[in-house]
Amino acid sequence: MSSNKFKPFVAPEVKMKELTLKSILLGCVAGVIFGAATVYLALKAGLTVSASIPIAVIAITLGRKFFKTTILENNIIQTTGSAGESIAAGVVFTLPGFLFLSANEQGQSSGEAYFDYMTILILAIFGGILGTLMMIPLRRSLIVKEHDTLPYPEGTACGSVLKAGEKGGEFAKTAFLGLGFALVYAMLQKVLHVIAETPTFLTRQTNKIFPSAKVSGEITPEYLGVGYIIGPRIAGVLVAGGVLAWLCLIPLLASLIPAEVIATQLVKLGLLADLNTAGGSGGWDPATRTFSDYSSAIYQAYVKQIGAGAVAAGGFITLLKTIPTIISSFKDSLGSLKEKNESEAVPRTERDISFKVVIIGSVALILLMALLPQLPGDSIWNKLLIGLLVVIFGAFFVTVSSRIVGLIGSSNNPISGMTIATIMGTCLIFIAVGWTGKVFEPMALVVGGMICIAAANAGATSQDLKSGYIVGATPRNQQIALFIGAIVSSLVIGWTVHILDTPTAEMASQGIQHAIGTEKYAAPQATLMATLIKGILSFNLDWQFVLVGVFIAITLELCGVKSLSFAVGAYLPLSTTLPIFIGGAIRGLVEWKQKRSGIQLSAEEEELGKGNLFATGLVAGGAVAGVIVAVLSVNENVAEGLKKVNAEHGLSGLLGSGGYQLLGVLFFATMGYVLYRIGRQKQTSIEKL
């Protein structure tokens, strides 16, 4: 079937409620919830999961049942809400890097002054608007003309969900069950502390055979859910990176490098004041010249930089693989812009926002970036250069992002690679005009951050426009909804980042000023972006460690393994990747059982399987609970109140430290078994609904 004969679910001549106040409000609520959850998940694990399908599932259930919404209103809810998840991902993958740039004369990061609510809000809104703006002229060429060749997997699945909802589909029950299960589990874990948060097995530094090896797992519902959603293959590669880092490199380095040399490296990185001051990463004791936790000290001193090199190389290799797609998509897009867009007698399903808005909006973005005092830059002229670079790189990578997600889906979009390429290109331009040193580092991060946000939002926007094309939505209404969703969700994203960045009382007592960058919120991509900018502009990178990571990534590619997932696993703590792997293993077991039973599922049915929906609920419930607890903990009185209901001390006294951790593992195993049982349940085929 050719695309010019395609008939949407709602015909162009049909008049139906679409861009209504209730659809926008419901979409904004969904965007705020999933945006906050994405911030939490991306800071902790460096991963995100698509929110489009869960929001579509919620829309067809709550919208139709309680608000009597039409299919086109449900599509607006999904479109508005999905902007929150994509913008949150772009923000978290880059902007926390302000905290990790080169130190100024006061010993603070040169970008720390820009890590405030207003700057994050402005960049999030500008990046989100840029991603949507640049997609307006691309819709006809990529979504309409290539309907048969670019599947846009998530967009097609959302279209199927919305159509199934009109036939009475009740997918959301399982997702809400997962949400409730996760909230109860999180209450027991994060508030009452009946469930241990991170059971750990650690060998002693004095162990001559296997010193300072650590196996741990942050046994939370969101990690289990993420693992199930991404599947056994990616989860396995991810945990393999953690095994290399924590059970190979760290024990090896622990047996070779004296404690004082490790401490000296931590001082160089700014993670320890000096050799005569206690504390820092790993708990340095100047009296005994030892660490309380050698594995954490070695991880921060060496392995993180090796992991950063691997992530940078993996992202760049992923981008290089897409060069043929980049060239062809850019040519096609330029060709589509040359075509005359006839505005007379345009059917409802072909009405876009005017291309004039794209031009005016792009110029306005450049001028606003030059004039706003919240953005880095010493003069209007160097801010104008930043604005020009943002629009130029944005036009290019929005096109690339849209084309790539059309082929392989948003979950596989090489956003990190595009951002790395943008940052490297920006830094080289800076060097060419004589802008070197730490003063210009925040400016380079602004360019990279906005392109990351724009590319992420463009990928999500493309999927939304595909859903709209399938169900018969009005593109102009979707584009307006995307602008609204980008602005509203940005209001909460910056606030969530700052709440999570607030150190706990225990962190503050150790002199830690930012929770982001610690093992609690590793922010792997943002740390990497800052590391690259410092290395290129300030020439102070430990290239010997970074290059080890680069060649680890190259080795994996030569073995036929996608290096980016492995590299992220090597960068993150094993406590993050291990529970994700367990979720992936459960998915693998469910799929193996299905194959043995002769069950064949389409791509849409896999996305809407009961296991996937329950896992989505686990992710949303666990992440939202984490944000709520973080918000409550900021208030000292509430934090003290939470300590009074903390059952950890009593249970540890009753069961012993090992028994308490084992109890947590049993709770996690129970949750995994429930996920497996729900994943094995028979589901109704979409066609039968």
Side-chain angles (χ1 to χ4, degrees), residues 287-559:
T288 61
R289 283 335 210 208
T290 59
F291 290 98
S292 60
D293 186 350
Y294 275 83
S295 60
S296 294
I298 294 169
Y299 168 70
Q300 294 289 345
Y302 305 108
V303 174
K304 263 186 114 173
Q305 295 188 76
I306 294 172
V311 173
F316 204 68
I317 290 168
T318 304
L319 188 64
L320 288 176
K321 288 180 178 178
T322 62
I323 282 180
T325 303
I326 291 170
I327 295 171
S328 64
S329 64
F330 201 65
K331 284 182 179 178
D332 291 342
S333 301
L334 287 176
S336 72
L337 293 180
K338 294 177 182 178
E339 297 177 5
K340 187 178 180 181
N341 187 8
E342 299 178 1
S343 57
E344 294 82 9
V346 176
R348 177 185 61 79
T349 52
E350 288 299 320
R351 293 174 191 162
D352 291 284
I353 288 177
S354 170
F355 185 63
K356 292 178 183 177
V357 174
V358 180
I359 301 299
I360 294 170
S362 299
V363 173
L365 277 178
I366 294 172
L367 293 176
L368 284 170
M369 290 189 70
L371 296 173
L372 287 173
Q374 289 86 359
L375 303 185
D378 294 332
S379 67
I380 288 179
W381 301 112
N382 57 27
K383 287 187 176 185
L384 276 174
L385 176 59
I386 294 176
L388 284 169
L389 289 175
V390 163
V391 170
I392 292 168
F393 280 124
F396 182 73
F397 282 119
V398 162
T399 303
V400 173
S401 178
S402 178
R403 188 88 183 190
I404 290 173
V405 301
L407 292 169
I408 58 178
S410 297
S411 299
N412 299 308
N413 195 2
I415 296 294
S416 294
M418 297 181 205
T419 310
I420 289 166
T422 299
I423 282 175
M424 292 178 72
T426 301
C427 289
L428 291 175
I429 291 170
F430 281 11
I431 290 171
V433 297
W435 295 359
T436 59
K438 55 195 172 190
V439 175
F440 299 100
E441 291 175 5
M443 295 167 60
L445 186 62
V446 165
V447 178
M450 281 194 62
I451 297 310
C452 186
I453 297 165
N457 194 40
T461 296
S462 302
Q463 304 289 0
D464 295 335
L465 293 173
K466 182 72 166 185
S467 302
Y469 184 64
I470 291 170
V471 302
T474 308
R476 181 192 297 159
N477 289 342
Q478 281 193 281
Q479 290 153 356
I480 293 170
L482 283 161
F483 285 130
I484 296 171
I487 293 169
V488 172
S489 59
S490 295
L491 294 170
V492 178
I493 288 167
W495 175 77
T496 308
V497 168
H498 269 281
I499 287 293
L500 297 180
D501 186 47
T502 305
T504 63
E506 185 181 352
M507 289 179 179
S509 66
Q510 298 172 6
I512 297 173
Q513 297 179 341
H514 298 279
I516 294 176
T518 65
E519 285 192 30
K520 187 174 184 180
Y521 301 117
Q525 286 91 344
T527 311
L528 165 66
M529 303 310 167
T531 301
L532 282 174
I533 292 169
K534 287 190 293 184
I536 297 172
L537 291 182
S538 299
F539 311 104
N540 63 350
L541 195 61
D542 287 325
W543 285 104
Q544 66 272 36
F545 304 124
V546 173
L547 287 174
V548 170
V550 168
F551 283 100
I552 286 174
I554 292 171
T555 301
L556 288 163
E557 291 290 340
L558 292 173
C559 293

Side-chain angles (χ1 to χ4, degrees), residues 187-247:
M187 178 69 68
L188 291 171
Q189 184 177 53
K190 299 178 188 298
V191 178
L192 300 177
H193 293 274
V194 172
I195 303 171
E197 293 200 30
T198 313
T200 302
F201 172 77
L202 176 66
T203 63
R204 295 178 181 275
Q205 174 65 15
T206 53
N207 187 316
K208 294 182 179 179
I209 300 173
F210 205 37
S212 295
K214 181 189 284 187
V215 177
S216 59
E218 198 169 341
I219 49 175
T220 61
E222 60 268 27
Y223 285 168
L224 189 72
V226 166
Y228 191 94
I229 291 167
I230 66 177
R233 175 65 182 170
I234 298 175
V237 174
L238 197 67
V239 79
V243 170
L244 175 70
W246 292 85
L247 299 178

